[in-house]
Amino acid sequence: MSGKLTKDQLEVIRQRSEKATEGPWRIGKQSPNGLNNIGTIGGLLTAQTKNEDDANFIANAHQDIPKLLDHITFLNEVISSCRCAECGHELGEGWATNSGVPFCNCCAGLNSL
């Protein structure tokens, strides 16, 4: 996986998330014969919902969550590569830019002369 999601991919995931209800959602065990038997050994674990948007959200969670985690990793790598053009310190609060070039608080004052 590339680690970066496109805007369209993020929007599809966002829409699925926004359409899903807040719940409550139920998980129960279902025996192979289709009967709900909470104590059945070897039964299927099922999520129960009557809402199609909730079902769509659940069905796509296995693919959406790893993509989102990879995207977060990618963004964290981008953030950690942002450094002051003058001293090389990592990105922090209160940074300034001069003609699109980032500077830390200390160096931003020096470069405004």
Side-chain angles (χ1 to χ4, degrees):
M1 178 161 286
S2 69
K4 184 173 187 253
L5 290 171
T6 66
K7 288 181 181 180
D8 289 342
Q9 289 171 316
L10 285 169
E11 185 57 29
V12 167
I13 293 170
R14 184 180 324 283
Q15 287 177 6
R16 272 198 288 263
S17 176
E18 289 173 354
K19 287 180 183 177
T21 66
E22 291 184 17
W25 298 353
R26 285 186 39 194
I27 296 176
K29 290 201 181 231
Q30 188 174 30
S31 66
N33 64 7
L35 301 174
N36 287 329
N37 295 323
I38 299 299
T40 302
I41 296 175
L44 303 171
L45 191 59
T46 61
Q48 300 171 351
T49 180
K50 293 180 180 179
N51 183 296
E52 187 175 344
D53 290 326
D54 290 352
N56 189 33
F57 179 77
I58 293 165
N60 285 283
H62 185 66
Q63 70 187 28
D64 289 348
I65 291 172
K67 286 180 184 177
L68 290 169
L69 292 173
D70 284 349
H71 194 72
I72 290 168
T73 299
F74 168 78
L75 293 174
N76 284 336
E77 289 170 1
V78 169
I79 290 168
S80 69
S81 70
C82 294
R83 297 183 175 274
C84 176
E86 186 73 26
C87 68
H89 284 118
E90 286 188 21
L91 180 68
E93 287 186 31
W95 274 46
T97 59
N98 186 351
S99 299
V101 178
F103 292 97
C104 67
N105 289 336
C106 180
C107 295
L110 297 174
N111 283 290
S112 62
L113 302 175

